[in-house]
Amino acid sequence: MLVELIVPCYNEAEVLPLFYEESRRVLDKIPGYDFGFILVDDGSSDGTLSIMKELSQKDGRVKYISFSRNFGKESAMYAGLRNSVGDYAVVMDADLQHPPALIPDMLRAMEEGYDCCAANRTTRSGDPKLRQLFTKGFYRFINKISDVDMPDGAGDFRMMNRNMINAVIAMSEVQRFSKGIFSWVGFDTKWISFEDVKRAAGETKWSFWGLFRYAVEGITAFSTVPLKFAIYLGSLVSASSFIYLLGVIIKTLIFGRDFPGYASMITIVLFLGGCIILCCGILGEYMAKIYIEVKNRPIYIIGRTNIEKPVHDYGRNGR
Ligand code: UDP
Ligand code: MG
């Protein structure tokens, strides 16, 4: 049985050697399995690639894939999975926020017959307060309106069997939202929890704006409720304006015509204008998704690798 650790790395030169040592220490103690590393360099500019090369020379089990530029963590995970050949794959961060010490527990779950073992964080104390608040709200919202179930704290840290890996690979959308994809494909998943830890070295690659974009991405990728929201909003506004209209007619019939009304008029016009622009924005968000998806650009482009026959992704046209 071959188990591969898929590790997306973006400017992780500081922490990558620590990650390697720590996970090797854990893996060496697990009997009965072969292990491999697929380190994906997501266009780093800080010597991450040279560390990967060093590691691969020291340890034949280390494979690396280096992108031609930064494509994002989602692309890196996808590239790792497409290039994996093992029976099981574990997706994990390089910063030791996903403790390798959980791998034996994950293997045990697989032995019990699960297709997947996912780890979720019980707390988010390693994150800043504002970000914790924002993430909580996001999960509550997305679980309400989308057709997939995403537990709060569920990161990408999980072990999957070949069957599930193939299913995840088959979801070849360009705009990937792994949390949704993992949940969408289904399979028997065992959840284990772990204590939150601060990253071992270096710093987070997420900005607040980046996270916000990611949240919008997740919502529009797995829910069409915002589109329906336009219908509800439209109906509500039409219904209330009809009632208002009746009121105006009755008032005119009883009290005759009177002219003042500039304030209510401008309020209504502005309110309606706001609703229309909001709905256009929602439509635009989905249209942009369709636009990117039909262009069908590759999800990643490999610049360098030590894999003999790497699996490229040149879109549906060139596959
Ligand atoms: N990462 C990546 N490409 C990016 C950003 C991040 O491959 O564009 C990797 C990063 O190297 C790390 C993982 O994704 O291994 C998680 O990133 P980070 O620790 O910055 O995120 P956080 O833990 O704060 O959510
Ligand atoms: Mg991290």
Side-chain angles (χ1 to χ4, degrees):
M1 287 284 217
L2 174 62
V3 183
E4 282 171 313
L5 272 55
I6 295 171
V7 193
C9 305
Y10 178 50
N11 292 341
E12 302 286 12
E14 239 175 294
V15 81
L16 193 56
L18 295 176
F19 169 83
Y20 172 75
E21 287 308 326
E22 172 73 17
S23 35
R24 213 196 46 183
R25 209 172 48 76
V26 172
L27 301 182
D28 282 350
K29 279 191 232 143
I30 307 175
Y33 290 94
D34 292 323
F35 291 95
F37 292 85
I38 302 181
L39 308 177
V40 186
D41 166 30
D42 185 12
S44 306
S45 53
D46 72 339
T48 299
L49 178 60
S50 45
I51 290 173
M52 288 180 180
K53 283 182 178 160
E54 263 168 48
L55 290 176
S56 70
Q57 270 155 15
K58 263 200 309 200
D59 183 342
R61 300 174 298 178
V62 176
K63 297 188 211 165
Y64 64 83
I65 296 170
S66 179
F67 287 171
S68 60
R69 65 168 170 86
N70 179 253
F71 278 85
K73 184 185 173 188
E74 293 288 343
S75 300
M77 289 194 290
Y78 183 66
L81 288 171
R82 292 239 2 221
N83 281 279
S84 72
V85 290
D87 303 285
Y88 300 143
V90 190
V91 183
M92 58 199 299
D93 287 0
D95 56 6
L96 290 172
Q97 277 186 313
H98 294 164
L102 285 185
I103 292 175
D105 293 341
M106 290 181 158
L107 279 170
R108 220 162 297 131
M110 305 306 270
E111 282 163 7
E112 282 170 29
Y114 286 96
D115 300 303
C116 172
C117 180
N120 63 347
R121 301 197 276 172
T122 43
T123 55
R124 289 182 171 273
S125 48
D127 285 349
K129 276 269 163 345
L130 184 67
R131 181 166 161 185
Q132 288 180 37
L133 215 80
F134 182 73
T135 344
K136 250 216 179 90
F138 166 71
Y139 278 107
R140 205 168 305 149
F141 185 62
I142 197 164
N143 279 321
K144 232 182 213 128
I145 66 164
S146 72
D147 37 356
V148 292
D149 189 31
M150 290 175 233
D152 184 7
D156 307 312
F157 184 22
R158 60 177 67 219
M159 181 180 286
M160 293 171 271
N161 65 8
R162 182 42 55 189
N163 209 4
M164 180 160 171
I165 299 170
N166 288 342
V168 170
I169 292 173
M171 309 262 295
S172 58
E173 55 232 62
V174 178
Q175 300 153 90
R176 306 186 68 73
F177 188 72
S178 281
K179 288 180 184 50
I181 292 174
F182 289 145
S183 146
W184 195 92
V185 294
F187 293 103
D188 288 339
T189 302
K190 179 171 184 175
W191 288 94
I192 55 177
S193 44
F194 68 102
E195 276 293 314
D196 193 24
V197 278
K198 282 208 161 65
R199 63 158 43 237
E203 52 195 54
T204 177
K205 310 299 176 305
W206 287 104
S207 61
F208 192 78
W209 177 240
L211 274 174
F212 181 74
R213 284 296 320 159
Y214 188 65
V216 172
E217 196 64 38
I219 291 164
T220 48
F222 281 92
S223 170
T224 49
V225 169
L227 285 173
K228 289 177 192 128
F229 165 78
I231 299 176
Y232 302 139
L233 184 69
S235 323
L236 190 77
V237 169
S238 316
S240 31
S241 28
F242 186 69
I243 293 167
Y244 184 67
L245 180 74
L246 284 182
V248 170
I249 292 175
I250 292 167
K251 198 172 143 212
T252 317
L253 286 177
I254 298 174
F255 298 107
R257 225 184 309 166
D258 70 326
F259 255 87
Y262 171 76
S264 54
M265 180 81 86
I266 199 79
T267 311
I268 292 166
V269 168
L270 287 179
F271 175 69
L272 285 182
C275 292
I276 293 167
I277 295 171
L278 177 73
C279 295
C280 284
I282 294 172
L283 284 178
E285 194 63 44
Y286 283 91
M287 204 177 73
K289 278 197 113 62
I290 300 170
Y291 172 63
I292 302 276
E293 234 27 86
V294 292
K295 279 206 280 195
N296 195 24
R297 288 182 172 159
I299 298 173
Y300 59 87
I301 297 171
I302 299 177
R304 288 178 181 72
T305 175
N306 68 342
I307 298 176
E308 223 168 274
K309 285 200 187 107
V311 181
H312 291 277
D313 181 70
Y314 289 133
R316 259 151 261 164
N317 315 325
R319 239 171 235 165

